[in-house]
Amino acid sequence: MTTEQSFDYDLFVIGGGSGGVRAARLASQGGAKVAVAEEYRYGGTCVIRGCVPKKLFVYASRFHGEFEDARGFGWDVEPSGFDWTKLRAAKDAEISRLSQIYLTNLGKAGVTAFEDRAVVTGPNEVKLVNEGRTITAKTILIAVGGTPFKPEIEGAEFGITSNEAFDLEALPSHVTVIGGGYIAVEFASIFNGLGSKTTLAYRGPSVLRGFDEDVRAGLTEAMETRGVDVRLNASPKKIEKTNDGLRLHFEDGSSLETGLVMFATGRVPLTEGLGLETAGVTLGRNGKIEVDEFSQSSCPSIYAVGDVTDRVNLTPIAIREGAAFVETVFNDNPTKVDHSQIPTAVFSQPEVGTVGLTEEQALEQVGAIDVYKSQFNPMRNTISSRVERTLMKIIVDQASQKVLGVHILGPDSGEMTQALGIALKMGATKADFDATVALHPSAAEELVTMKEKSYSRP
Ligand code: NDP
């Protein structure tokens, strides 16, 4: 006869961010005894120093362009200044409110929430570092997320990352953002909009590698037009402290003076010092936890969700992975997360919205495609005299006529993309798009009025 080993908890979650909190609440609501530990602040990257404060800063930075555009519509607007400390304080108040909601919701769901660092000390054991207490759990879920990565160049310590960017004492007069991914283009747009002289230094030939090529080229050009000094093929080599600020040197021998350097050079999973070796958990590139499609690690009692697994590093995906984990482990319903056709937005200025395959990916996966492409000056720009063309691209599988991808560069493209995601998930064809009546006048109507294909490939 075998006796069930008894544990302090059915589930112990390390990390109080989006994925961990969702899993903890769902498991507890289903009757499991659950605890979660968070070493910093409940809410995780998204709430504390990611999506939420970033979007608040994006809203703040957009007013600059709005004030400019307003003149064409008859408004006599002359902003008298921008108060960074006021924005920072308002942002702090909002994230404190949200963080408290996370804690309250955990309590309501019956989850024990520790405000302490927890490390793994065995397959079914964690230790609360400050309290010094060891706790056992039948299942452990690692949801500790990631952290910004800085390249190992001389003087890298003089540069900040997005972690610090949210809490700067003052708005920098000249900032140089290194990188060309989501965070780099978003922060360059924020600083530029708020009034800092802004340089974006990217090592590649066009920002947002992996996105649609026309979107990449269009965004690079639009950011330049809006005033960002975009330096391409610029690989950072060294940062030097000077009397006035910093000097950033590039591999090609050029350099520039700047007040602040911000690295937006990617993020890495936060597994260092987490004790995962004590449970035989296999780690992959950059320390990510290797998991199967049910988020189970090489140690059967340990699972991982979200950015720490470096699959698709987006908040809604971490939340889905957390929910699927609970279905699999606690509800006897093995559930995988579908990582395809994920709508995503880059909150640059102008904004990017994208869902499905890029032209190149579609070509590789299905062979023959039709491309519908439109570039137009949105109505709002006519009177405001802004020169910034919106780009829309629809990628269609030639054989089935299914829409494989939609890519938009322009205002509100993120909002449009959320709805487009439903159509793509349902398997919409180009004919379905055509059969949908246009909503007039809007920019989005272009998505259903592009009747003539622009070209076919191969
Ligand atoms: P990304 O991986 O998107 O971009 C990293 C950038 O840094 C790339 O342009 C990369 O260049 C460059 N880079 C990497 N290493 C070096 C180096 N040694 N020297 C110079 N440049 C370097 O990471 P982010 O930090 O921008 O964002 C992390 C993730 O967070 C994103 O992938 C996304 O999943 C998520 N995120 C999502 C947001 C949203 O949904 N709106 C917003 C912000 C983040 P190269 O292209 O040549 O490799």
Side-chain angles (χ1 to χ4, degrees):
M1 202 180 84
T2 55
T3 40
E4 268 265 305
Q5 198 187 335
S6 76
F7 298 100
D8 298 328
Y9 290 96
D10 298 315
L11 172 65
F12 195 99
V13 180
I14 306 184
S18 305
V21 166
R22 177 57 58 96
R25 287 174 58 196
L26 288 177
S28 184
Q29 282 161 354
K33 190 176 177 202
V34 183
V36 51
E38 165 59 50
E39 66 177 327
Y40 184 51
R41 293 176 73 185
Y42 276 90
T45 301
C46 179
V47 170
I48 308 298
R49 45 196 177 192
C51 334
V52 172
K54 183 274 309 288
K55 191 76 187 277
L56 294 175
F57 281 15
V58 167
Y59 286 131
S61 66
R62 278 184 189 160
F63 284 101
H64 189 113
E66 304 277 322
F67 294 140
E68 281 172 6
D69 291 353
R71 290 186 197 118
F73 290 90
W75 288 95
D76 182 11
V77 191
E78 212 45 72
S80 60
F82 164 71
D83 187 343
W84 167 260
T85 12
K86 198 167 170 184
L87 171 66
R88 208 186 51 196
K91 175 269 296 178
D92 286 343
E94 176 58 8
I95 63 171
S96 294
R97 188 184 73 84
L98 293 174
S99 180
Q100 191 52 49
I101 289 175
Y102 267 65
L103 258 175
T104 306
N105 285 345
L106 282 168
K108 278 189 194 158
V111 177
T112 305
F114 295 104
E115 294 185 63
D116 199 346
R117 175 170 172 79
V119 293
V120 174
T121 46
N124 298 99
E125 201 181 85
V126 299
K127 186 176 173 188
L128 293 174
V129 174
N130 293 324
E131 263 194 51
R133 181 151 52 114
T134 295
I135 294 172
T136 59
K138 187 171 182 199
T139 303
I140 296 171
L141 178 69
I142 312 287
V144 295
T147 190
F149 151 84
K150 281 185 192 179
E152 285 176 14
I153 59 168
E154 196 183 324
E157 68 276 14
F158 298 130
I160 63 158
T161 67
S162 56
N163 280 354
E164 296 77 39
F166 289 112
D167 298 310
L168 292 172
E169 279 302 312
L171 181 68
S173 52
H174 181 192
V175 57
T176 301
V177 181
I178 303 180
Y182 278 82
I183 295 179
V185 296
E186 289 183 343
F187 266 91
S189 298
I190 288 169
F191 283 125
N192 183 53
L194 293 179
S196 299
K197 183 177 168 204
T198 306
T199 302
L200 178 77
Y202 174 50
R203 66 180 176 184
S206 183
V207 297
L208 290 184
R209 185 164 61 83
F211 283 69
D212 176 83
E213 293 298 329
D214 288 319
V215 166
R216 298 178 68 189
L219 177 62
T220 307
E221 195 186 315
M223 285 180 73
E224 278 175 330
T225 307
R226 282 188 179 237
V228 178
D229 165 29
V230 181
R231 309 221 174 169
L232 298 172
N233 304 306
S235 247
K237 187 177 177 202
K238 176 169 116 176
I239 305 174
E240 206 183 353
K241 228 175 170 33
T242 64
N243 289 338
D244 304 327
L246 301 171
R247 178 165 281 281
L248 173 61
H249 297 262
F250 297 101
E251 287 290 353
D252 65 2
S254 64
S255 69
L256 67 86
E257 287 275 358
T258 186
L260 181 75
V261 171
M262 172 177 159
F263 288 102
T265 40
R267 296 175 59 85
V268 289
L270 201 48
T271 48
E272 212 182 300
L274 206 58
L276 292 164
E277 66 289 348
T278 62
V281 173
T282 304
L283 300 183
R285 191 172 159 262
N286 290 332
K288 71 170 175 178
I289 297 180
E290 296 282 9
V291 288
D292 66 11
E293 51 203 351
F294 298 104
S295 296
Q296 189 174 33
S297 78
S298 56
C299 172
S301 56
I302 299 186
Y303 288 70
V305 295
D307 288 8
V308 77
T309 62
D310 199 15
R311 286 175 281 184
V312 179
N313 299 330
L314 298 171
T315 300
I317 297 299
I319 291 172
R320 291 211 162 203
E321 288 170 357
F325 152 78
V326 172
E327 278 302 302
T328 303
V329 177
F330 293 93
N331 297 343
D332 201 18
N333 174 28
T335 304
K336 303 175 192 173
V337 172
D338 178 3
H339 287 117
S340 69
Q341 291 168 322
I342 298 168
T344 175
V346 184
F347 295 105
S348 47
Q349 287 173 44
E351 194 169 296
V352 174
T354 177
V355 58
L357 304 179
T358 64
E359 191 176 329
E360 299 309 319
Q361 288 166 339
L363 200 58
E364 212 178 288
Q365 291 184 27
V366 306
I369 55 169
D370 294 335
V371 179
Y372 296 78
K373 184 158 117 179
S374 174
Q375 261 183 307
F376 57 94
N377 204 26
M379 187 193 238
R380 183 193 153 114
N381 289 357
T382 52
I383 285 193
S384 70
S385 305
R386 179 175 293 284
V387 182
E388 189 172 87
R389 281 152 76 79
T390 286
L391 167 78
M392 290 185 181
K393 256 176 102 167
I394 303 178
I395 316 293
V396 179
D397 175 8
Q398 216 172 74
S400 68
Q401 283 298 298
K402 274 197 176 163
V403 176
L404 302 175
V406 183
H407 309 277
I408 309 172
L409 172 70
D412 305 320
S413 55
E415 302 287 344
M416 292 181 223
T417 303
Q418 178 66 85
L420 285 164
I422 304 170
L424 263 68
K425 257 294 177 250
M426 292 177 74
T429 60
K430 180 63 172 60
D432 293 323
F433 273 52
D434 295 345
T436 306
V437 174
L439 188 156
H440 186 73
S442 67
E445 70 183 300
E446 195 71 12
L447 291 164
V448 298
T449 53
M450 277 189 255
K451 303 284 189 240
E452 296 294 320
K453 71 178 167 208
S454 304
Y455 52 90
S456 295
R457 288 179 75 188

